[in-house]
Amino acid sequence: MNVKKALIFGFFTAFLILGVLSMQRAMPDPKEDRIYTAIKAYSPYIVEKRIGGLAIVDKRNDPKKDLKEKPNASDFYHRLDELEKNWGKEHLKIENNEVIVTDENNQTAAKIFIENQKELEFVKRFYGI
């Protein structure tokens, strides 16, 4: 009887651990809300709700690039983060205590003030600049 209880408890624990690990893997990178929201306003990627889930839409009019991506639910936020990171490497610079956002023509679109060290570290870590 004790072996049965141990097996049931073992299976329950294993499923619980696997569930927690899969949830952690599906979570996107943590972000500093104020600076991320300010930069995201200039990002060309928007999230579109559709019947089958969510889609990532590129609002630039570039015929060489696919305008809409429909990743599966577990990869959606990871793919969105990847696209935003690649865009950030090309279009963001840090000068003094500001993030300079450039457009497709390499012209300055905006300057966003960095308020604290956490925001600076986030921008460097997340966007890789």
Side-chain angles (χ1 to χ4, degrees):
M1 198 68 154
N2 288 337
V3 174
K4 274 186 172 180
K5 287 182 182 180
L7 280 175
I8 291 173
F9 181 72
F11 281 126
F12 175 74
T13 304
F15 283 120
L16 184 65
I17 290 171
L18 288 174
V20 168
L21 289 175
S22 66
M23 283 180 55
Q24 285 178 342
R25 189 181 63 86
M27 294 296 289
D29 290 338
K31 299 169 181 72
E32 287 293 320
D33 289 334
R34 191 199 70 81
I35 193 81
Y36 178 72
T37 305
I39 292 172
K40 187 158 177 58
Y42 299 97
S43 172
Y45 302 105
I46 56 174
V47 176
E48 179 182 88
K49 293 179 185 175
R50 57 188 179 92
I51 293 175
L54 299 171
I56 302 168
V57 179
D58 188 345
K59 57 187 177 184
R60 297 176 287 192
N61 293 327
D62 189 355
K64 295 178 188 174
K65 296 186 179 184
D66 189 17
L67 295 175
K68 191 180 280 193
E69 289 189 30
K70 300 172 186 170
N72 61 31
S74 64
D75 295 332
F76 180 81
Y77 287 105
H78 291 292
R79 180 64 182 147
L80 181 61
D81 283 353
E82 181 182 330
L83 290 169
E84 288 179 343
K85 287 175 184 181
N86 290 336
W87 170 82
K89 285 180 185 174
E90 295 177 22
H91 297 282
L92 298 177
K93 292 186 287 187
I94 297 175
E95 290 182 7
N96 301 327
N97 247 6
E98 293 180 327
V99 176
I100 310 292
V101 182
T102 58
D103 60 11
E104 296 302 315
N105 300 324
N106 211 18
Q107 302 293 320
T108 300
K111 292 182 179 184
I112 302 167
F113 182 72
I114 299 173
E115 289 183 352
N116 56 44
Q117 188 65 26
K118 278 185 166 182
E119 290 181 350
L120 177 64
E121 290 170 3
F122 163 74
V123 171
K124 286 182 177 180
R125 178 185 47 83
F126 186 78
Y127 293 105
I129 53 174

